[in-house]
Amino acid sequence: MPSHQEKMIHHFPRRIILVRHGESEVNEDEGILEHVPNHKIKLIKKGAEQARATGRMIKEIVSEEEAWKVLFYVSPSNRTRETMEEIISRGGTFEKNRIVGVREECRLREQHFGNFQDLEERRKIKRSRVRYGKFFYRVPEGESSADVYDRVSSFLEGLWRDMESNKFGNEMNLIVVSHGLTILLFLMKWFNWTINQFEELANPANCEYRVLELGPDGEYSLASYHQIDELKKWGLSDEMIEDQIIRARGLQPFLDRKCLVAPTDDSASDDSLGYYFDEK
């Protein structure tokens, strides 16, 4: 008879995929922020192409299961909504019967930098943030990363309640279309990363995605889909990578086998999960 944990896992989404929006008008002309509100910034042609390509890659991932479904959460900004639309329809990627719904979620919005933004002042703020520390630095008339962390945490607490109350199924894939910093803070909260660990993370590129996949113990991991070299490139430490591997494999293999610390030697090239375990 299945245990309570096994029953719970059966109702958890198979994957949570975090997608940053495609390239926008700011990539072509940052000065546009002086006269166009941040949330009204639109995708450019290259950004739309990026979104369609990402949509095709995501479909390959989620369609491994025969009865797969997707549910989208999207930031209310124009560029995130347009990214989602390119992923869903204009790329011809997802059939309507596969899409359970689309939910606009204000708590997934971009860090607020104030209203109309003077270009030189914006550059000065970014330099100051690097010196001060990007988590605690508060943008004048705007938000700190800590503020964004709090609202992302609120969103995740609601999501966890939905998961625990069986509102999803194991055939479900949640796709979150948001912003670079918001995605990093989502991961920080989900995996209980420290502020120091957060400070070392690299921002996702436009339309880059992070796949959290459900493991055998009901834990989600980046290491189930992504290669170890990718995790290193994104700024995860050896300790963080080891934790991702345990989440992907389940705790028992870690208890049964001697877990090796990820090497710091850049010459190491084995990307498989088995590299971190003594298989003897």
Side-chain angles (χ1 to χ4, degrees), residues 5-280:
Q5 182 187 24
E6 289 171 332
K7 290 179 181 178
M8 291 293 290
I9 292 173
H10 180 71
H11 292 288
F12 285 176
R14 179 63 178 159
R15 299 174 191 84
I16 302 170
I17 303 177
L18 311 176
V19 185
R20 187 186 175 195
H21 61 80
E23 288 192 23
S24 69
E25 293 170 318
V26 173
N27 294 98
E28 291 186 329
D29 177 18
E30 195 173 0
I32 193 174
L33 292 168
E34 295 184 333
H35 55 87
V36 176
N38 188 296
H39 64 281
K40 291 188 176 181
I41 297 296
K42 298 179 179 180
L43 284 188
I44 56 175
K45 182 179 178 180
K46 181 178 179 182
E49 292 170 351
Q50 291 170 330
R52 290 193 290 271
T54 294
R56 290 190 290 270
M57 289 186 283
I58 289 175
K59 184 176 181 182
E60 286 186 15
I61 297 168
V62 302
S63 59
E64 289 180 3
E65 292 79 35
E66 184 176 347
W68 62 273
K69 301 284 186 180
V70 292
L71 171 61
F72 286 86
Y73 292 89
V74 60
S75 157
S77 298
N78 281 351
R79 59 192 180 277
T80 46
R81 291 191 62 84
E82 290 171 354
T83 297
M84 180 196 67
E85 289 165 4
E86 294 291 344
I87 288 173
I88 290 177
S89 57
R90 297 200 177 100
T93 308
F94 296 101
E95 300 87 352
K96 288 184 179 180
N97 66 326
R98 298 287 190 176
I99 302 171
V100 173
V102 172
R103 299 179 184 175
E104 182 174 286
E105 177 51 68
C106 288
R107 289 171 292 184
L108 295 173
R109 66 188 184 274
E110 174 72 289
Q111 179 185 15
H112 187 48
F113 270 79
N115 298 318
F116 295 113
Q117 300 166 38
D118 177 79
L119 184 56
E120 187 51 45
E121 183 63 25
R122 179 180 170 87
R123 290 170 178 168
K124 188 186 301 182
I125 285 170
K126 288 185 175 182
R127 291 193 295 268
S128 296
R129 184 172 61 176
V130 170
R131 295 198 307 273
Y132 192 90
K134 65 182 179 181
F135 187 79
F136 287 114
Y137 180 82
R138 182 180 298 282
V139 175
E141 301 181 5
E143 289 182 302
S144 66
S145 295
D147 295 326
V148 182
Y149 177 86
D150 288 343
R151 55 179 164 81
V152 169
S153 297
S154 171
F155 166 73
L156 284 178
E157 286 158 9
L159 182 63
W160 290 329
R161 286 193 296 271
D162 286 347
M163 291 169 61
E164 290 171 356
S165 62
N166 302 337
K167 288 190 176 180
F168 306 114
N170 201 229
E171 75 282 356
M172 186 66 68
N173 296 271
L174 307 183
I175 302 177
V176 177
V177 185
S178 188
H179 309 268
L181 178 69
T182 310
I183 287 171
L184 296 183
L185 292 166
F186 185 112
L187 294 171
M188 178 185 177
K189 174 65 177 178
W190 191 281
F191 293 120
N192 295 311
W193 290 340
T194 68
I195 292 168
N196 287 340
Q197 289 171 329
F198 163 78
E199 295 281 355
E200 297 301 316
L201 298 175
N203 205 38
N206 292 107
C207 271
E208 193 172 23
Y209 54 88
R210 308 281 190 263
V211 179
L212 288 71
E213 190 162 311
L214 187 64
D217 288 348
E219 296 283 353
Y220 287 86
S221 172
L222 293 165
S224 297
Y225 175 78
H226 297 289
Q227 299 291 319
I228 301 305
D229 279 352
E230 283 185 282
L231 304 188
K232 290 182 179 180
K233 179 182 175 183
W234 297 341
L236 275 70
S237 66
D238 291 346
E239 178 185 4
M240 295 162 75
I241 291 173
E242 184 171 323
D243 175 62
Q244 293 298 315
I245 294 168
I246 294 170
R247 289 169 178 270
R249 283 282 189 90
L251 184 60
Q252 198 56 49
F254 176 73
L255 297 175
D256 292 344
R257 305 167 184 170
K258 180 181 176 183
C259 184
L260 304 178
V261 176
T264 55
D265 183 356
D266 291 339
S267 64
S269 60
D270 193 332
D271 290 332
S272 67
L273 296 181
Y275 179 83
Y276 287 89
F277 292 94
D278 183 355
E279 299 290 345
K280 295 179 181 178

